[in-house]
């Protein structure tokens, strides 16, 4: 293949001639990138290592919470700033998608509660939010009456924290709907395609040629070319009941775990709490299942009659610092933009990372104060390296 000579930093080149772009990884980042690149007029091929009909992406196992306040307490201010930008992008982008997709997003805030014996956990969280956010902390204390107004099936709790700015999205339905949308928009979808980028671009052991640029968003699959990538095990439980109704994500604080329960359509809920430093993908353990269901029961005893409809395990893609990174490099003679390290913040971080990655091509993203912290240029001048 002739070495590409495109100057990826010049907006007019991207606007005047479409690129032929390969995206390795059909998860949330891959699908959002495909959609945005198609909007810009480029030709896009999306490669997925598994089947689109039986997806293995971590984005399908996630709860779909977009929770910058909850996450800043256990990470740092950068995660919050990226997340708040993502909320803005989610709402702008979803407005441009069909209503069957935009209706899957809800910004109703989230509610955090604890049992009286664990009230110190709630107060510590409030202190951490105040420490990290200062005047940006919109979390507010709510009493039992206010909790009941927000979630009538949580009236046994005397105190909680309400985070009005947080949102959630029905992740599985969104992933499926976005795939249909990009297929209809002209994306080429290739499944059961193992992309390798350690030396020269390959797919299923054969040369991957003919592309001006490759986006690497394989998550844990990128370990093949990036040894800093690791998988962090997460376990989730799906239940169904008509006895309890929640309208927003609810978190229960406990000294050992932080349970989250997120509502889904058809009287279903997804719940999880586990975060295990392991790349084991064997089924959910009895221990984890007991902790999840016991905590769920203490939220509301009516959950005792809920039906377990699914247990799921997946690996969150993390880097050594548990922070997201965008790396610009080359594989063979082809420029590569790699996005990884979303860890447990996939739906919180993805839109902003997509925006910043696309800014490397057309320099149209706003000058956000944290942008420089995201990009690592392994080869600082991707385009001139190939002139």
């Amino acid at each position: 293949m002739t070495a590409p000579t495109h100057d990826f930093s010049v907006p007019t080149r991207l606007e005047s001639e479409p690129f032929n772009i390969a995206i390795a990884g059909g998860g949330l980042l891959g699908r959002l990138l495909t959609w945005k690149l198609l909007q810009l007029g480029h030709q896009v091929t999306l490669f997925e290592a598994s089947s689109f009909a039986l997806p293995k992406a971590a984005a399908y196992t996630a709860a779909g919470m977009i929770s910058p306040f909850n996450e800043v307490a256990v990470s740092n201010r950068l995660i919050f700033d990226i997340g708040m930008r993502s909320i803005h992008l989610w709402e702008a982008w979803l407005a441009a998608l069909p209503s069957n997709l935009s209706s899957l997003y809800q910004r109703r805030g989230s509610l955090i509660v604890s049992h009286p014996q664990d009230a110190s956990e709630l107060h510590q969280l409030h202190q951490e939010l105040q420490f990290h956010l200062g005047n940006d902390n919109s979390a507010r204390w709510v009493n039992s009456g206010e909790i009941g107004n927000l979630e009538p099936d949580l009236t046994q709790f005397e105190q909680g924290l309400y985070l009005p700015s947080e949102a959630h999205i029905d992740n599985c339905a969104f992933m499926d709907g976005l795939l249909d949308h990009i297929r209809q928009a002209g994306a080429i979808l290739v499944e059961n395609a193992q992309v390798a980028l350690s030396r020269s671009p390959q797919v299923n052991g054969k040369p991957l040629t003919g592309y001006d640029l490759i986006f690497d968003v394989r998550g844990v699959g990128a370990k093949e070319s990036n040894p800093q990538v690791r998988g962090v095990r997460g376990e989730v439980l799906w239940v169904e009941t008509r006895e309890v109704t929640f309208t927003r994500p609810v978190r229960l604080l406990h000294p050992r775990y932080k349970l989250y329960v997120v509502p889904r359509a058809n009287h279903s809920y997804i719940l999880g709490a586990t975060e295990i430093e392991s790349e084991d993908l064997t089924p959910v353990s009895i221990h984890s299942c007991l902790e999840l269901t016991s905590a769920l029961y203490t939220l509301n005893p009516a959950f005792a009659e809920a039906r377990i409809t699914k247990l799921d395990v997946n690996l969150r893609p993390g880097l050594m610092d548990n922070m997201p990174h965008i790396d610009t490099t080359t594989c063979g003679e082809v420029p590569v933009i790699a996005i990884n390290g979303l860890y447990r913040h996939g739906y919180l971080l993805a839109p902003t990372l997509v925006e910043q990655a696309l800014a490397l091509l057309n320099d149209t993203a706003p000058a956000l104060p944290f942008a420089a912290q995201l990009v690592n240029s392994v080869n600082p001048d991707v385009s001139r390296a190939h002139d």
Side-chain angles (χ1 to χ4, degrees):
M1 174 184 174
T2 302
T5 58
H6 302 298
D7 182 353
F8 293 113
S9 65
V10 180
T12 55
R13 295 297 298 274
L14 282 173
E15 293 169 359
S16 61
E17 61 176 303
F19 281 15
N20 192 13
I21 297 174
I23 299 178
L28 178 62
L29 283 172
R31 296 182 194 197
L32 287 175
L33 275 168
T34 299
W35 173 52
K36 299 305 290 183
L37 287 165
L38 289 171
Q39 282 188 319
L40 293 170
H42 303 298
Q43 302 169 32
V44 184
T45 302
L46 180 63
F47 294 92
E48 166 55 38
S50 62
S51 164
F52 286 115
L54 298 171
K56 297 181 179 179
Y60 272 94
T61 311
M65 292 182 293
I66 305 169
S67 51
F69 288 82
N70 271 293
E71 294 304 326
V72 72
V74 292
S75 52
N76 61 43
R77 177 65 190 237
L78 178 61
I79 295 297
F80 174 83
D81 290 336
I82 298 173
M84 293 303 293
R85 175 65 186 172
S86 287
I87 287 178
H88 168 78
L89 291 173
W90 273 121
E91 295 178 356
W93 291 2
L94 286 164
L97 285 167
S99 60
N100 66 306
L101 290 176
S102 60
S103 63
L104 299 172
Y105 170 93
Q106 295 187 59
R107 190 175 184 183
R108 301 178 57 85
S110 63
L111 185 60
I112 309 173
V113 294
S114 69
H115 295 293
Q117 66 270 26
D118 302 322
S120 61
E121 300 287 327
L122 204 57
H123 286 273
Q124 181 179 343
L125 173 61
H126 185 264
Q127 290 176 351
E128 290 169 344
L129 289 174
Q130 197 60 37
F131 172 78
H132 286 293
L133 303 179
N135 293 333
D136 292 328
N137 182 18
S138 62
R140 63 180 177 88
W141 290 103
V142 286
N143 59 32
S144 59
E146 292 168 309
I147 292 173
N149 289 333
L150 291 167
E151 297 295 347
D153 287 336
L154 282 178
T155 54
Q156 75 274 31
F157 291 93
E158 299 176 357
Q159 191 178 51
L161 282 173
Y162 177 51
L163 310 178
S165 297
E166 298 197 332
H168 65 286
I169 189 168
D170 189 332
N171 57 310
C172 295
F174 177 76
M175 289 285 286
D176 290 342
L178 185 58
L179 185 70
D180 289 339
H181 184 74
I182 61 177
R183 180 188 286 115
Q184 294 172 18
I188 300 171
L189 306 178
V190 183
E191 59 183 12
N192 301 314
Q194 293 281 348
V195 173
L197 299 172
S198 57
R199 291 185 176 86
S200 60
Q202 295 186 346
V203 57
N204 293 336
K206 299 180 180 179
L208 180 64
T209 60
Y211 295 98
D212 301 300
L213 173 67
I214 297 173
F215 279 95
D216 181 6
V217 289
R218 291 174 292 165
V220 177
K223 286 185 67 173
E224 167 269 335
S225 57
N226 184 355
Q228 294 190 19
V229 175
R230 78 186 198 284
V232 181
R233 178 182 169 98
E235 303 166 324
V236 296
L237 175 71
W238 286 73
V239 302
E240 181 180 304
T241 180
R242 292 176 178 270
E243 302 300 316
V244 182
T245 299
F246 292 163
T247 60
R248 56 180 53 77
V250 173
R251 293 182 186 248
L252 174 66
L253 298 189
H254 183 276
R256 283 202 317 276
Y257 51 78
K258 294 176 175 59
L259 176 82
Y260 58 80
V261 182
V262 185
R264 287 289 184 266
N266 302 317
H267 311 283
S268 293
Y269 298 89
I270 180 172
L271 58 144
T274 59
E275 184 176 307
I276 304 167
E277 283 292 340
S278 168
E279 295 189 349
D280 175 21
L281 278 171
T282 56
V284 175
S285 68
I286 292 292
H287 180 266
S288 294
C289 189
L290 284 173
E291 282 207 336
L292 289 171
T293 52
S294 297
L296 183 63
Y297 177 81
T298 68
L299 270 181
N300 189 315
F303 273 118
E305 295 303 317
R307 297 300 185 250
I308 297 174
T309 58
K310 183 167 67 172
L311 290 165
D312 205 359
V313 173
N314 218 321
L315 299 180
R316 305 175 177 99
L319 296 172
M320 298 308 295
D321 59 358
N322 290 337
M323 298 299 291
H325 291 278
I326 302 170
D327 294 323
T328 62
T329 183
T330 58
C331 182
E333 297 181 334
V334 184
V336 175
I337 298 177
I339 312 174
N340 215 317
L342 273 67
Y343 193 35
R344 64 185 198 184
H345 316 298
Y347 285 85
L348 178 65
L349 305 184
T352 302
L353 290 173
V354 167
E355 178 189 54
Q356 295 301 311
L358 293 178
L360 297 174
L361 305 184
N362 54 28
D363 198 27
T364 58
L368 301 173
F370 55 79
Q373 300 179 59
L374 295 177
V375 181
N376 173 37
S377 295
V378 179
N379 180 345
D381 196 338
V382 171
S383 60
R384 293 184 182 178
H386 304 292
D387 285 349

